[in-house]
């Protein structure tokens, strides 16, 4: 059972949105009505292991891509614009690798355009320099948290989880914040995803020589090679690069520009200065502007109806 949100009607160009790791389909709720008004028919999927799309057993990033293809077949969508943020960008890239005939256009928000292993190595180096393990670099471990009420859980999410990469929480993002909590079966509330179940131990994630011990999702995630997958690119791509946290974290810009230069006829690269990782949540007006421009570049001529 795959949870999704939908806005618009069949007269619009299908847009399927894939959220970031630990996020939900509600991350697109604020801008979806505006996307509909410009001509999209919007679907936002909460994929495996998140929100109301819970599953047992391991799965890969390509399994999520297969779920998107099954979703399209079930709803009779032959071809769509596919977009995603962070891990969702990598799912988008995996989907294009497996199902290029189902892709009208692509939108990547700070994900899907650089080899994830580069980021793994960069973050590990930063932690080593600070003499921190991955777990120690976190304020707290959300896997161990339960909340007496939903409101107290949302308060924690807003203060500790979203505060690092989303603009100050307001009413427009309230649905998104509430989507982070699920009942735990005992009358309390918990986060909607289980990090240990999806990603494995922090120690394995932190060990550059231990990739063979990783769960299937992070192991397959590190297999995404955009310069290989996009070697025969033939659809319009919007590539958004928020650079507001590059100094503190790791700049993806050189790799983004390199990919853009390899496919300059297809990729529009847009830098969002002074904007942290969740560009579409922090700069909704800019995001809508650029998604409208992508729509104007999309004719669907590559689609097999």
């Amino acid at each position: 059972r795959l949870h999704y949100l939908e806005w618009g009607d069949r007269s619009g160009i299908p847009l399927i949105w894939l959220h970031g790791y630990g996020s939900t389909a509600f991350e697109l709720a604020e801008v979806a009505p505006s996307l509909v008004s410009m001509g999209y028919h919007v679907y936002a999927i909460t994929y495996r292991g998140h929100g109301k799309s819970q599953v047992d057993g391991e799965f890969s990033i390509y399994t999520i891509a297969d779920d998107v293809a099954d979703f399209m077949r079930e709803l009779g969508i032959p071809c769509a614009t596919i977009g995603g943020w962070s891990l969702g960008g990598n799912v988008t890239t995996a989907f294009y690798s497996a199902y290029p005939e189902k892709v009208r256009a692509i939108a990547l928000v700070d994900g899907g355009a650089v080899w994830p292993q580069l980021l793994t190595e960069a973050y590990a180096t930063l932690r080593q320099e600070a003499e921190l393990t991955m777990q120690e670099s976190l304020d707290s471990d959300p896997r161990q948290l339960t909340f007496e009420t939903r409101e107290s859980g949302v308060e924690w999410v807003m203060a500790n989880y979203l505060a690092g990469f989303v603009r100050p929480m307001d009413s427009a993002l309230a649905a998104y914040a509430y989507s982070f909590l699920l009942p735990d079966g005992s009358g309390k509330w918990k986060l909607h995803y289980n990090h240990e179940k999806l990603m494995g131990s922090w120690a394995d994630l932190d060990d550059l020589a231990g990739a063979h011990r990783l769960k299937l999702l992070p192991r397959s995630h590190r297999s995404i090679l955009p310069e290989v997958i996009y070697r025969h690119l033939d659809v319009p791509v919007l590539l958004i690069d928020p650079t507001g946290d590059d100094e503190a974290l790791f700049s993806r810009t050189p790799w983004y520009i390199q990919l853009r230069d390899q496919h300059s006829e297809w990729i529009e690269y847009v830098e969002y200065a002074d904007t942290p990782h969740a560009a579409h949540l922090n700069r909704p007006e800019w995001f809508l502007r650029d998604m409208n421009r992508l729509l104007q570049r999309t004719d669907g001529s590559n689609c097999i109806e």
Side-chain angles (χ1 to χ4, degrees):
R1 294 175 61 83
L2 191 69
H3 172 257
Y4 71 97
L5 304 175
E6 180 179 4
W7 297 265
D9 56 46
R10 289 298 177 98
S11 65
I13 297 297
L15 165 64
I16 297 175
W17 188 260
L18 300 162
H19 59 76
Y21 175 68
S23 187
T24 74
F26 284 89
E27 75 178 35
L28 206 67
E30 179 186 13
V31 297
S34 296
L35 290 168
V36 169
S37 69
M38 69 178 63
Y40 286 107
H41 181 189
V42 181
Y43 304 88
I45 294 174
T46 299
Y47 51 71
R48 288 178 177 236
H50 294 69
K52 297 180 180 179
S53 300
Q54 295 298 321
V55 297
D56 293 322
E58 287 197 61
F59 57 89
S60 77
I61 198 169
Y62 284 93
T63 309
I64 302 173
D66 292 344
D67 289 340
V68 176
D70 290 341
F71 173 84
M72 294 175 69
R73 281 192 290 270
E74 184 72 18
L75 272 66
I77 305 170
C79 195
T81 294
I82 311 293
W85 164 52
S86 195
L87 177 61
N90 285 290
V91 176
T92 299
T93 298
F95 184 85
Y96 182 75
S97 175
Y99 303 99
E101 75 282 359
K102 295 182 178 294
V103 180
R104 283 179 177 266
I106 291 169
L108 302 174
V109 178
D110 214 19
V114 63
W115 184 31
Q117 181 65 20
L118 288 173
L119 307 182
T120 300
E121 294 173 5
Y123 295 150
T125 298
L126 289 174
R127 287 190 297 275
Q128 289 169 2
E129 291 173 351
E131 296 184 348
L132 293 173
T133 67
M134 181 181 287
Q135 181 58 60
E136 289 170 340
S137 69
L138 300 175
D139 292 333
S140 59
D141 183 357
R143 292 168 298 160
Q144 308 302 324
L145 295 178
T146 57
F147 306 96
E148 294 294 330
T149 66
R150 194 180 188 191
E151 286 67 27
S152 64
V154 169
E155 183 178 348
W156 182 91
V157 167
M158 292 168 60
N160 297 279
Y161 195 94
L162 298 179
F165 56 84
V166 178
R167 71 178 192 267
M169 193 60 59
D170 53 34
S171 59
L173 293 177
Y176 181 44
Y178 272 88
S179 75
F180 275 73
L181 277 299
L182 290 177
D184 73 349
S186 69
K188 298 181 180 181
W189 295 82
K190 63 180 180 179
L191 287 187
H192 70 92
Y193 72 104
N194 184 321
H195 177 89
E196 184 81 20
K197 181 178 177 181
L198 293 177
M199 303 295 279
S201 74
W202 291 108
D204 286 346
L205 287 167
D206 217 20
D207 181 5
L208 295 180
H212 60 286
R213 293 191 297 271
L214 294 175
K215 295 275 190 176
L216 190 54
L217 178 57
R219 189 156 26 105
S220 63
H221 178 227
R222 295 189 192 183
S223 74
I224 298 296
L225 289 168
E227 61 269 37
V228 175
I229 291 173
Y230 289 122
R231 66 193 183 280
H232 300 308
L233 183 65
D234 63 352
V235 298
V237 176
L238 168 65
L239 174 54
I240 295 175
D241 178 13
T243 59
D245 52 12
D246 283 1
E247 184 175 348
L249 296 174
F250 177 71
S251 175
R252 300 157 172 81
T253 300
W255 286 274
Y256 288 171
I257 291 177
Q258 177 178 297
L259 188 66
R260 188 276 313 272
D261 290 346
Q262 290 171 355
H263 304 284
S264 57
E265 72 275 29
W266 294 113
I267 298 178
E268 179 185 12
Y269 167 81
V270 184
E271 180 179 316
Y272 285 20
D274 302 318
T275 304
H277 186 39
H280 58 315
L281 293 169
N282 287 290
R283 304 287 190 181
E285 297 86 0
W286 296 1
F287 177 69
L288 289 168
R289 173 201 66 196
D290 295 329
M291 288 299 292
N292 188 41
R293 198 155 55 229
L294 177 65
L295 183 62
Q296 305 313 309
R297 297 168 58 210
T298 305
D299 60 16
S301 59
N302 62 296
C303 294
I304 301 175
E305 300 290 346

